[in-house]
Structure formats: structure tokens, C-alpha cells
Amino acid sequence: MSLSRRTFAALTGATAASLALPAGAEAAAGSSPSGAAVPPAAGVPGTAHTVTFDRYSLIVDGRRVPVWSGEMHPFRLPSPSLWRDILQKLAASGYNAVSIYANWSYHSPAPGSYDFTGVRDLGRFLDMAAEAGLYVIVRPGPYINGETDAGGYPGWLTSSAARARTSDPVYLRYVDEWLSAVDAVVAPRQYTRGGGTVVLYQLENEYASYVTSATGADYMAHLYAKVRADGIDVPLFHNDKGRNGYWVPGSFDTGGETGRYLYAFDGYASGNPPDWGYFGTGGTTGGSTASPDTPGFLAEFGGGWFDAWGGAGFNGQGYAGAWAARDPAYERRFYLTNLANGIKIHNVYMTFGGTSWGWLPAPVVYTSYDFGAAIDETRHLTAKVTPMKQIGSLLASFPDLAVLDRAADTSASSTSVRVYHLTDPERGSHVYLLRNDTTKDAVCTLPVDTAAGTLTVPAAAGGLKVAAKDGKLLATDLSLGRRALLYSTAQPMWRASGADKDIVVFTGRPGDPVEIVLLSQDAPEVNVTDGDAESAYDEAAGTLRLNAVLDGLTVVRVDGGGQDTPLVVLLADDDAAAALWPRDTGAGSVLVSGPALVRTVRITGRSVHLTGDTTAPTDLRVWSAGPLKAVEWNGRDIAVAGTRSGGLAARSPLPGPGAVSLPVLTGWRYAAENPEADPAFDDSTWRACDLTTSHSKTAVPAGQPAVLFADDYGFHYGDVWYRAEVADASAAQDLALTYQTGTLGLLMAWWDGRPLGTHRMPVPAKAEVTTGTWSGTAAFTVPEDLRGSGPHTLAVLVRRMGHDEDGGANDAFKSARGLTAATLDGAPPSWRIQGASGYDAVRGPLNNGGLYGEREGWHLPGFPDGNWSPVTLPHTDTRQGVAWYRTVFTLAVDSGTDASIGLTFTDDPARAYRVQIFLNGWNVGQYANDVGPQHTFVLPNGILRTRGGNTLALAVLSDGSGPAGPALPALTLLGAAAGGTPVEDVASPGYRAGGKQG
């Protein structure tokens, strides 16, 4: 192997060094569009910025930015302080962007009414994202799907004349109201305006209908024109529901504007990774090839999957099963394949799933929306974060990966290993994705193109290992700052260059043999300061070869060799990489090892100020590309000493979190409700069911004199009651109640206060988990001793379980909820109906339904329950209907500890009951004891007072078929860390007379 002097100089001289300057220095000096990406930050409002793109990538202020984004939904974490926690974790974990839905229903309790305050403060979230250094992809619908009630449409739209997802003028009038409201929040926070970091904006969501008709084209054109009129000037896009080539640029009118709209698509893949681009079939259904003049854009790629009531989707394992199905090896294999196929805007759905609290979930999911995501519902980083951090850091620090074309096909020596070969046409770097789709580890060699010609790697014995069902990325001819990499059999993760040293990190699986070959004009001095590695200098070739087996963290310092500045090489297996935190700042680059999380890095002079979390006592080491002498951790100076590799190490371990003590829940009080079943109950204020026509997707059944659908009477969320008076029941015998609900809905009936029984929709089988609307008929016999002359009272409670989504653009979200038909011996009774009484202005319309206790404020803090019966849990209640249990408890978690706390139910699954869980008045979830699979419910800090008093209210619905609960729920510590972010109490108004919050 030999290198020409010209080639050697090109890779190790001034050109290579300029590519690795710290972001701040490079920005000052100016660079080409292929320069390293600069972490975003909101500037001064009015400051001009540009956001454009070409066929390779997004280009921000003239600089290429491969977008590595994670999806989270602010509305699924109803504690604004904790938004900052997740955003900081995303930024620390290699992401440079966050993608969000804005949920129309969450912000709009009524037509013309829009609320962006409190837990709905979208502007605050966008500001936090900018502070965290993340670009933002905004996806405001108007339709979002997302396993949300009605796919994000507000409840009031279900009873309107609007034909959704079309160019119907009634619908567009409502859409324009929503977009005007949300765009007023988003527009000033666009990166182009300098007031935030919004760089992309989505039109609609997975719109796969009317693609060949004027209805669809006019609708898309209307949305485009509307958001532009609202001042949205960043590039727009639509995400295709799969690889269909729908709504590519030019498929609808954009008012003459060109080059400002992108095609994107969604992908949720299993089995072996598909080729959605360069290595696929190509064309309009080829994924990233459908729009050849715009970058490959995966607006959603599966970071997990949702689970259904009963858990059939993952064989009862819940989200642990979802996580296992898309584990860290899945991420490496699939996400790297996406990168090889030209995907340069890549969004992982979900990266933090959160909680579908209250009546937010669509019928197809239960309360938890953990999704098996990299950051779990408890806000903890799982092992799935490590591959994301490795890939995101790679994309951010090696501009070579911003421009890649497919290169000549090549093969590994093992047929089990598939090879994807790409090259950067501007630099000549080469990238190789090695993928093993078999169930056995593979060992191979690989011919690679380098500046020294084609080489077979590795040179040392042992070969290249590619684990079963896994993948890795190798590279040749990369700049490492003042030195250059000829090739590596380990995946590059991060590099930095500064006045003091150059740093590079390579990573792989534990036990992997790795070989790193660097160009070195003269024999360098090599010191292995941590771990074990061997080195060999080849004078004739001018190369230094490092060989090691990955085992924790190996650190090698290289001095001399024709360079005055040392290079620190870190070889990290996945376990060590999990505790590595590379950060680039305007004042320099820093690599931290040890803590469970490094949230922020700030450099002043020769001091570095770190904030972060520890979950146990841990060592701290810091390497910087510039000179550092002092370290501060969470506001405290840390005693440090220099290390042989040129870094700093804390003289003592950082402390872990303090002990967290959780009380046993005692002092319960009990009250039975459903007075609506009593014939003496006064229903004179209830709404008479007197409508004769409906805009519902469900036809009004023949023979019914009036519409019974709850939405038509303004009751959109939670339980709904019906009452009918029967004047004469002398011959009454057969009662038939037909009703419609979401998954797992149920109906209960009473005649003259006596329970007639309960009818339940079935628990969905695996083939039914996406069925959102269920219909059934409950047949009852009127008790013989309660027949005769009247009047008699018939009372019915329906648990509706949310509205269907509208993925097919067929108004499925308007499918009726509640009773649809009722006959007594063939004759239809006349009904009155009652649901939620108004809505909670702080907690929002999705918080409450129509139970008596909800209407009267039994769920609220401060409700006077002194006359309720004291009980000890577990408690057995055999009556049909609703009973409430209330208690208060106090927590005293240390202010420096971020404790994630849940509420866990454990009971015999034969006991059929459900529980609505209210914490300080907030409906944080629904538990179905005999269905599952969810047993633990996250109590979000902020709503949960971790240093103060809390009110817990349980509304327990039992079918009367046998002994029912509840069991004693237990407060459960789901994890704790020293550090965290400051948490503000979320407003939780309490009870005042009349049942209203005060």
C-alpha cells in the first residue's frame, strides 16, 4: 500500500482540518453547504435565516443539515416543565430535531374557541425546543391520526355538516379557523424569522384519498395557500401513507411557488429492512426516489408500535413486547439501511410516546402510549437511545454523510452479510453498511475503496464481526481533524477538533474486534491510557494501525507523527457509548463520560459547566478539543485531576439520588353513585332526544322517532346517561338496546332502579386491534314483578371509549357513539340524555365525562367527602354501577431528585371492573382489571406534587356479575435520578359548591 504525497496532503492537511473546525469557528470563517452542521439556536426576532433544500438534504443558512429527528407530543405529557426534560434528553441523545403534532381537539372545546395556555401552551414548547438546540418539525393536521380520539378532530366536528378531509366549504371554514389559531403561534417561531427553530411544516397527514380527483387536489392547494397566507414560509411537506408517490411536488397547485415543498412518506417495517430509495426499485413507489429533486424524507419511521386493549398485538406483553420487537439491533439494521437509501430527513415515531390521558386515546389504544420507544413513558432513557445517539452524532460531526451517492456494488466474504456501498462525490469518502439478516453472527472480510486503493479489511486476523439481526457502518477516507482515517472496521460516532487536541470516537458491539488505520507521515507516539489495544506503524505506507477488542471504553492517545496536536481515539462498546455524551457548542466541543445523562454543556474560558443526571454514584471524565482546567456539575465545582489521555477526571464519584420513600395509601372513603338509575332522580334539566336528522356517519335506524347519538346533543367525551319514562308496562317484556362505542365499550341498564345487566363489547383479537367502532345489541327481559301500570323508569349508562379515527377520509370519526336504537316490545321509548356538564377550563374538555361524580366534582381536590363511608382496600363491591374511592397522601421527595412515580393495580383478573384514575382532579388513565394489559399508570410530576399533598380519586365501574374491586393500589417508584429539571406545579383547581373547579 502506498499513498502519493498529494493524496496524503489532501487528507491530512489544511483541507481536512478545515472540515473539522468547531461549529462556532467554522461559522465565523464561512463554509460550503457541505460543512458540518451547526446546532440550531433561536436568534433575534427579525434576523434573516434561510431554510432550503436540494436532492441530498435540508440546507440551513447555506449549510447542509441531515435531519435526525425524534417524535414527541406535548399533549401526551400534561406537565410543561417536563417538556424541557424530554427535549434536553433528545438533544443529548444525538437528535438535532423534534417532530410534533398539534392536536386540534386538545386546543378547541367549541367552534371559534382556541386555547394555547397552561398544558396547551404550544408556544412555550417551541421556545423550549429552541433553548434545547433542536430544530422543530411542526405537524398541525388538520387531521393527525396518531391514535388520538377522532384522529385529532375536535368532538364538536363530529356533529357538523362538514365533510372532513375534502374541499367541502363548511369543513374548510373550520379548518381555516384552526390553522389561523395554530399558525399564529408557529409563524413567529420559524427559524426563518429568527424567533425560533421551526424549519419544516406539514400539510395534512397520511392523506391517501382523492389523489386523482379535484377534491383532493383542491383540498391540498387550499391548505398550501392558507398556511402561506398565515406567514408560514419554511418548506412545506406532506407525509405519504406508505410508498405510493401521492402528493409529490407538482401534483397540486402551489400558487406558482416552486422549490419549497417536499415529498415525505411513512414507514413501519418488520422482518428485514426494506430498500426505500437508492437500493430499491425506484420510481414513484420507491420511497426516497418518488421525488428525485427533494431529499429522501421519512416523516415517520417506526420507533415502536402501539398496543391495544387486551394486549393481543404483543401477546399480552404490553409495551415490553413492542420494545423487544424493535430493539437496539433493529434500530441499527433498519435506520442505517434508511440512511444508505438516501433518507436525509429521518424522524423516529415515537421517540417519547408518553400518555394518552383522559379521553385523549383513540379506541384502539389504552392509556399508556409508551410505544416501546427509546425514551419510555417514565421519561427514562432505554438501551434504544444508544444507537440513536451513535447515528445522530455521526451525522452531525461528519459532513461526508450529508452527500452520498450509491457506489459500485461490492460483497463481503460471508454470504450472510449484505453490503451497501456509498460515496461522497465531493470528498471521495466511502461508506459501507454491513447488514446481517440471519439469526447467527457472521465473520467476514471486506474489500474497501481507499485513497491507497482497494484494500481487504481487516488486515489483522479475526475478521469483521456482524452480529445476528444487526448492522454496522464502516467508512474510509474521513478527516479526523489534523489527521485522517484511511479506514475503520468500527462505526465512527463523533469527532471534534480544537486548539488543544483532536478527538474521535468509534463504537460497536461488546466483543467486536476492531481495526483503525490512520495516516501518519512519521512514526507517532502511541499510548493506550485505558483498556487494551495494539498498535503498529507501517513506515512504507505511512499508516498507523490500531487493533482492539471492544470491551468497555478503550482510550488511545496519538502524539507526533508529523502533527503537533495530539489525537485522542476512544473505542467504545455499546455499554460504554451509553454513558458517553458528545456535545458541540459555539465555544468548543466536549465529550463527557460517566453520568446517566448530560443535559447541557457551557464553556466559559477554561471552565466547563455541566448539568445532568446520575442514577447511582458515578465517575466523571471530560475531554475537550480546547484547553480546560475546571469542571462544574449541576452548579457545584468538582475537584478534578488531569488524565494521561489529556482529559480531566473527577477525584470523587458524583453522588446518586437520595432514597425515595413512598407511603402506603390509606384513609380511603367510599360513596356509591349512579342516582340516575333511581326512579326518583330529577332529570328535568336533561336534554330531550328530539332531533330527527344527523350528520353522523351512522344512519339513524328505521323506526326510531329521534336521534339517540350522544355527539348530536353536544356530549363528546366519556360516559353518557339516558333515561326514559314508560307510562304503562303491563305487557312489557323484551327490551332491546342497540348501541355503538369504541373498543371495549359497554352498556348498563336499570328498570325502576333494579339492574337489568351489563353488555360489553368483546376484547379485540389480534386481527381486530385496529377496529375502532363496535356495535352491539343488549337484550334484556323486564322483571315480571316490575311490570304493570306505570310510570316506570328505564336508565342506561353507556361507556363510549372514544371516537374512531378517519384514516380513510370517509368520516369514520363521525360514527355514532351511545345508543343508536331502543325498543320495548317493539316500540321505541322517548329519551332524555346527559353527558359531561360543561368542561374544565384548565384541564380541558377531554378530562371529564358524564358520571354523576364527575358532574358534581367528586374527582376534585377539596371535595367535602367527610360524610362518605371509611373503607379499607381491597374492597369488594358486587353492585352494578359506579362507586368512588378517595384518599389524600403526602410526598416529600428531595428537591434534587427526579423521581418517576406510578400507581400500580394488582388484582385477580376474574374480578370485572374498571377504574378511572383522577390525580388532583386530572384524569390520568383508565384501568380495566379483567382486560389489561396495563397495570401501572405514570403520575406526571407537576400534576403529582412530589413535595406536598395530593388527592387521589378512583371512579370504579363494576358490571355486577360478581365480586369486583378495587384492590389496594400502590405508589410505585419507577426510577429516580439526581438532577432533573425544575418542575412547576400544574394548575389543579379544586372543588367549589356546584361541582365546579375553583
Side-chain angles (χ1 to χ4, degrees):
M1 177 178 67
S2 63
L3 291 175
S4 70
R5 287 291 176 183
R6 182 177 180 181
T7 301
F8 190 93
L11 285 174
T12 61
T15 301
S18 69
L19 295 178
L21 284 171
E26 188 170 357
S31 69
S32 73
S34 296
V38 178
V44 178
T47 302
H49 293 278
T50 60
V51 181
T52 61
F53 56 84
D54 64 10
R55 69 186 183 95
Y56 287 112
S57 73
L58 206 66
I59 301 172
V60 179
D61 287 338
R63 193 183 307 273
R64 290 201 181 280
V65 178
V67 175
W68 195 246
S69 171
E71 183 93 7
M72 71 167 290
H73 300 152
F75 55 82
R76 283 190 160 112
L77 183 56
S79 178
S81 300
L82 298 183
W83 297 341
R84 177 175 283 110
D85 174 61
I86 300 300
L87 291 166
Q88 289 181 346
K89 286 172 176 171
L90 288 174
S93 300
Y95 296 92
N96 64 356
V98 60
S99 173
I100 63 166
Y101 279 142
N103 185 338
W104 187 354
S105 73
Y106 193 64
H107 295 277
S108 182
S113 177
Y114 298 95
D115 184 359
F116 290 91
T117 64
V119 298
R120 291 170 289 281
D121 193 342
L122 178 63
R124 183 178 181 187
F125 177 90
L126 296 176
D127 293 342
M128 287 181 177
E131 292 167 8
L134 293 168
Y135 294 116
V136 183
I137 302 171
V138 174
R139 309 203 291 155
Y143 178 77
I144 65 171
N145 211 65
E147 292 72 60
T148 57
D149 182 271
Y153 282 140
W156 54 262
L157 196 67
T158 62
S159 57
S160 77
R163 175 66 188 222
R165 309 188 80 186
T166 72
S167 54
D168 170 57
V170 177
Y171 172 66
L172 293 182
R173 175 166 58 86
Y174 289 134
V175 164
D176 286 354
E177 278 187 4
W178 161 241
L179 292 177
S180 292
V182 72
D183 289 347
V185 178
V186 175
R189 292 173 171 86
Q190 295 175 97
Y191 194 65
T192 48
R193 301 263 189 107
T197 52
V198 175
V199 292
L200 290 167
Y201 182 109
Q202 179 177 297
L203 300 176
E204 247 284 351
N205 184 77
E206 295 184 338
Y207 187 49
S209 303
Y210 307 106
V211 294
T212 59
S213 73
T215 297
D218 290 348
Y219 175 41
M220 292 295 289
H222 179 92
L223 296 177
Y224 195 101
K226 170 57 180 171
V227 300
R228 286 295 189 229
D230 286 346
I232 303 298
D233 55 26
V234 298
L236 306 178
F237 71 96
H238 171 263
N239 62 323
D240 196 353
K241 187 178 183 180
R243 298 172 296 132
N244 306 301
Y246 296 160
W247 310 118
V248 296
S251 59
F252 61 91
D253 182 18
T254 57
E257 184 177 64
T258 59
R260 302 291 295 156
Y261 171 79
L262 302 91
Y263 170 79
F265 66 100
D266 293 352
Y268 291 87
S270 57
N272 292 329
D275 287 319
W276 287 338
Y278 292 170
F279 293 84
T281 57
T284 56
T285 60
S288 69
T289 63
S291 176
D293 295 326
T294 64
F297 188 170
L298 262 170
E300 296 180 21
F301 192 81
W305 191 249
F306 64 83
D307 196 23
W309 285 104
F314 295 101
N315 301 314
Q317 299 174 63
Y319 282 113
W323 194 99
R326 289 175 169 85
D327 63 5
Y330 171 97
E331 292 181 313
R332 288 187 291 267
R333 206 161 52 107
F334 280 74
Y335 301 166
L336 289 173
T337 299
N338 293 341
L339 178 63
N341 275 276
I343 305 299
K344 294 298 176 54
I345 305 176
H346 192 289
N347 180 54
V348 178
Y349 187 108
M350 301 292 295
T351 296
F352 169 72
T355 305
S356 295
W357 57 279
W359 294 104
L360 176 66
V364 295
V365 293
Y366 45 88
T367 298
S368 175
Y369 198 67
D370 178 278
F371 216 76
I375 303 175
D376 68 20
E377 189 184 5
T378 69
R379 299 180 289 111
H380 294 134
L381 305 181
T382 74
K384 289 176 63 169
V385 163
T386 302
M388 301 306 299
K389 180 167 54 175
Q390 291 164 334
I391 299 171
S393 299
L394 168 71
L395 291 172
S397 57
F398 288 93
D400 314 65
L401 276 72
V403 179
L404 289 176
D405 289 327
R406 183 173 178 173
D409 289 346
T410 188
S411 299
S413 62
S414 169
T415 57
S416 297
V417 176
R418 181 173 179 180
V419 181
Y420 295 74
H421 179 200
L422 301 107
T423 187
D424 179 341
E426 298 177 355
R427 290 174 178 75
S429 306
H430 292 264
V431 170
Y432 299 84
L433 165 61
L434 276 60
R435 204 181 81 201
N436 179 2
D437 295 331
T438 75
T439 57
K440 294 183 179 180
D441 294 348
V443 177
C444 64
T445 59
L446 178 72
V448 297
D449 291 340
T450 75
T454 300
L455 304 174
T456 297
V457 302
L464 252 170
K465 181 181 175 183
V466 186
K469 295 287 185 179
D470 212 326
K472 62 173 58 178
L473 182 146
L474 314 182
T476 70
D477 299 342
L478 292 182
S479 166
L480 303 183
R482 296 154 180 91
R483 302 172 196 264
L485 172 75
L486 189 64
Y487 69 81
S488 167
T489 66
Q491 183 169 307
M493 176 175 167
W494 182 75
R495 69 171 186 182
S497 185
D500 197 53
K501 65 178 71 68
D502 295 335
I503 308 171
V504 63
V505 180
F506 296 95
T507 187
R509 314 294 80 75
D512 277 4
V514 299
E515 184 167 284
I516 315 293
V517 176
L518 309 173
L519 300 183
S520 186
Q521 196 164 11
D522 300 311
E525 179 184 346
V526 179
N527 287 289
V528 181
T529 64
D530 296 87
D532 295 310
E534 296 178 352
S535 64
Y537 179 69
D538 186 329
E539 183 175 3
T543 59
L544 171 67
R545 177 160 55 90
L546 303 175
N547 288 95
V549 175
L550 292 181
D551 181 13
L553 187 62
T554 300
V555 184
V556 181
R557 178 177 171 128
V558 180
D559 288 273
Q563 292 291 343
D564 295 331
T565 307
L567 171 68
V568 177
V569 180
L570 294 96
L571 309 177
D573 67 13
D574 292 329
D575 296 332
L580 280 181
W581 305 100
R583 299 302 288 267
D584 299 306
T585 77
S589 299
V590 171
L591 178 66
V592 181
S593 173
L597 174 69
V598 174
R599 294 179 177 274
T600 64
V601 176
R602 183 171 56 90
I603 298 174
T604 58
R606 296 195 171 194
S607 297
V608 61
H609 309 268
L610 308 173
T611 66
D613 298 358
T614 57
T615 56
T618 185
D619 295 333
L620 173 71
R621 287 194 284 177
V622 180
W623 293 267
S624 172
L628 284 183
K629 297 295 183 185
V631 177
E632 181 185 88
W633 176 258
N634 287 343
R636 297 179 59 186
D637 291 333
I638 301 297
V640 294
T643 66
R644 292 174 57 207
S645 61
L648 298 174
R651 293 183 180 275
S652 300
L654 302 177
V660 177
S661 177
L662 299 178
V664 175
L665 297 174
T666 59
W668 292 93
R669 290 188 171 274
Y670 164 89
E673 60 136 280
N674 46 276
E676 299 92 340
D678 192 320
F681 182 81
D682 181 7
D683 62 11
S684 60
T685 62
W686 287 21
R687 177 73 159 86
C689 294
D690 54 9
L691 299 174
T692 57
T693 61
S694 173
H695 296 297
S696 173
K697 171 80 171 178
T698 305
V700 179
Q704 293 296 306
V707 176
L708 300 180
F709 313 154
D711 285 298
D712 288 59
Y713 297 98
F715 304 120
H716 305 303
Y717 304 111
D719 299 299
V720 64
W721 277 94
Y722 296 85
R723 280 172 55 95
E725 185 174 286
V726 180
D728 185 1
S730 299
Q733 182 169 339
D734 297 322
L735 174 66
L737 301 172
T738 300
Y739 71 114
Q740 196 159 278
T741 71
T743 306
L744 225 65
L746 58 77
L747 175 150
M748 295 178 172
W750 292 259
W751 180 275
D752 287 345
R754 183 182 297 179
L756 295 178
T758 296
H759 185 281
R760 306 190 340 169
M761 300 298 180
V763 178
K766 196 163 190 173
E768 300 170 314
V769 296
T770 58
T771 301
T773 294
W774 298 72
S775 298
T777 298
F780 300 109
T781 300
V782 177
E784 186 173 357
D785 63 322
L786 295 182
R787 301 172 190 173
S789 59
H792 297 275
T793 300
L794 173 60
V796 177
L797 173 65
V798 180
R799 174 149 292 181
R800 296 178 294 173
M801 302 298 286
H803 300 91
D804 204 348
E805 295 171 290
D806 196 34
N810 58 1
D811 274 356
F813 77 103
K814 290 185 175 182
S815 296
R817 292 297 185 260
L819 285 178
T820 57
T823 59
L824 178 62
D825 293 324
S830 296
W831 296 91
R832 289 181 175 274
I833 185 171
Q834 177 65 57
S837 179
Y839 77 95
D840 188 319
V842 172
R843 299 175 180 92
L846 293 153
N847 194 69
N848 296 109
L851 294 180
Y852 180 83
E854 292 177 285
R855 305 197 308 268
E856 294 298 312
W858 292 10
H859 62 296
L860 295 172
F863 176 78
D865 58 9
N867 62 341
W868 287 21
S869 301
V871 295
T872 300
L873 299 188
H875 184 249
T876 296
D877 198 340
T878 58
R879 59 188 295 276
Q880 174 180 290
V882 185
W884 286 73
Y885 300 80
R886 285 173 54 95
T887 191
V888 295
F889 63 92
T890 301
L891 299 177
V893 179
D894 182 81
S895 59
T897 296
D898 178 9
S900 181
I901 296 170
L903 188 71
T904 299
F905 293 84
T906 305
D907 201 357
D908 180 353
R911 293 161 65 93
Y913 64 90
R914 304 184 190 181
V915 183
Q916 281 178 263
I917 306 163
F918 292 92
L919 175 66
N920 295 325
W922 292 82
N923 182 352
V924 296
Q926 181 177 180
Y927 169 63
N929 181 68
D930 55 329
V931 176
Q934 184 175 5
H935 288 266
T936 295
F937 296 78
V938 174
L939 308 178
N941 295 345
I943 289 177
L944 178 70
R945 285 19 176 178
T946 58
R947 293 179 61 78
N950 297 274
T951 299
L952 182 62
L954 308 178
V956 180
L957 183 64
S958 305
D959 65 12
S961 62
L968 175 65
L971 294 173
T972 310
L973 183 63
L974 305 176
T981 58
V983 177
E984 302 167 7
D985 286 346
V986 177
S988 301
Y991 174 85
R992 65 185 184 193
K996 298 178 180 179
Q997 70 276 7

